[in-house]
């Protein structure tokens, strides 16, 4: 495996209470994703090349030190073609964090620029190879659940392979 085979990501990983809701759904509708990473909200993917992570994490520490922890309330579901996700009631704090990070790393457009330079915060719980399977998914009701986003996780792994990704760094918000 070469460093160029590795992909990096900046994400928020919700606490156990949210994982307890999302993991059974992921296990049923996106087991390969669950093998790679825990339930999460992506802040920036893909991030810098693996060999640039030390320098990039130093920049992230400065950005995060000036970003206060914030609450995220997950409430309901939404979807993209081929993807079902839990949605944050107010995505603006996540979008704001993304904008501050992306401003320092403009060479890393979200999802390689496939959807422009904006982020649509979401927590994937299902991936589907057909529209019929997506329509047939039975996503359980959950009451809105709030957690405090207090840190970002920087992870790396091999894209598209069901191998666990590895945490490279965990950076607190608010210094």
């Amino acid at each position: 495996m070469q460093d160029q085979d590795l992909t990096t990501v900046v994400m928020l990983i919700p606490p156990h209470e949210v994982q307890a809701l999302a993991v059974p759904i992921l296990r049923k509708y996106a087991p390969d994703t669950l093998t790679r990473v825990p339930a999460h909200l992506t802040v920036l993917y893909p991030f810098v090349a693996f060999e640039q992570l030390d320098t990039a994490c130093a920049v992230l520490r400065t950005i995060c030190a000036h970003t206060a922890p914030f609450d995220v309330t997950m409430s309901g579901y939404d979807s993209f073609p081929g993807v079902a996700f839990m949605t944050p009631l107010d995505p603006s704090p996540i979008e704001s964090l993304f904008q501050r990070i992306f401003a320092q790393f403009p060479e890393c457009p979200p999802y390689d620029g496939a959807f422009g330079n904006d982020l649509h915060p979401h927590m994937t719980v299902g991936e589907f190879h057909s529209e019929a399977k997506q329509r047939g998914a039975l996503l359980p009701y959950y009451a809105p659940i709030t957690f405090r986003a207090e840190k970002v996780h920087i992870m790396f792994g091999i894209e598209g392979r069901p191998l666990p990704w590895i945490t490279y760094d965990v950076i607190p918000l608010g210094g």
Side-chain angles (χ1 to χ4, degrees), residues 119-155:
L119 181 72
H120 184 103
H122 64 281
M123 187 164 55
T124 297
V125 292
E127 296 174 332
F128 306 93
H129 298 293
S130 76
E131 201 174 300
K133 287 188 182 206
Q134 187 169 357
R135 276 194 315 270
L138 300 173
L139 302 175
Y141 168 81
Y142 68 95
I145 186 166
T146 301
F147 68 93
R148 190 90 173 144
E150 297 178 326
K151 56 193 165 196
V152 296
H153 293 252
I154 296 79
M155 298 184 79

Side-chain angles (χ1 to χ4, degrees), residues 1 5 37 39 71 98 117 130:
M1 174 178 58
D5 295 333
V37 292
D71 288 338
F98 157 75
N117 287 338
S130 76

Side-chain angles (χ1 to χ4, degrees), residues 5-28:
D5 295 333
L6 298 174
T7 301
T8 65
V9 61
V10 180
M11 63 174 64
L12 299 170
I13 298 179
H16 178 79
E17 305 83 54
V18 180
Q19 297 290 328
L21 291 170
V23 166
I25 306 168
L26 279 163
R27 189 174 293 122
K28 183 173 184 178

Side-chain angles (χ1 to χ4, degrees), residues 1-173:
M1 174 178 58
Q2 302 292 320
D3 287 353
Q4 63 265 24
D5 295 333
L6 298 174
T7 301
T8 65
V9 61
V10 180
M11 63 174 64
L12 299 170
I13 298 179
H16 178 79
E17 305 83 54
V18 180
Q19 297 290 328
L21 291 170
V23 166
I25 306 168
L26 279 163
R27 189 174 293 122
K28 183 173 184 178
Y29 295 116
D32 285 351
T33 295
L34 182 59
T35 297
R36 290 190 306 271
V37 292
H40 65 278
L41 293 130
T42 299
V43 177
L44 186 55
Y45 165 85
F47 192 44
V48 301
F50 180 79
E51 57 273 4
Q52 298 171 329
L53 275 177
D54 281 341
T55 303
C57 285
V59 173
L60 285 177
R61 285 191 183 288
T62 300
I63 294 168
C64 290
H66 294 94
T67 303
F70 53 87
D71 288 338
V72 176
T73 299
M74 303 305 292
S75 181
Y77 300 98
D78 204 347
S79 64
F80 301 129
V83 176
F85 56 87
M86 296 170 71
T87 186
L89 193 59
D90 176 11
S92 62
I94 302 164
E95 292 166 340
S96 179
L97 176 60
F98 157 75
Q99 289 295 337
R100 287 193 294 280
I101 294 171
F102 184 48
Q104 294 299 310
F105 299 95
E107 71 280 10
C108 301
Y111 302 98
D112 285 325
F115 311 105
N117 287 338
D118 292 324
L119 181 72
H120 184 103
H122 64 281
M123 187 164 55
T124 297
V125 292
E127 296 174 332
F128 306 93
H129 298 293
S130 76
E131 201 174 300
K133 287 188 182 206
Q134 187 169 357
R135 276 194 315 270
L138 300 173
L139 302 175
Y141 168 81
Y142 68 95
I145 186 166
T146 301
F147 68 93
R148 190 90 173 144
E150 297 178 326
K151 56 193 165 196
V152 296
H153 293 252
I154 296 79
M155 298 184 79
F156 68 93
I158 301 172
E159 184 58 43
R161 296 202 33 216
L163 298 170
W165 285 37
I166 298 167
T167 299
Y168 185 86
D169 204 348
V170 178
I171 301 174
L173 298 177

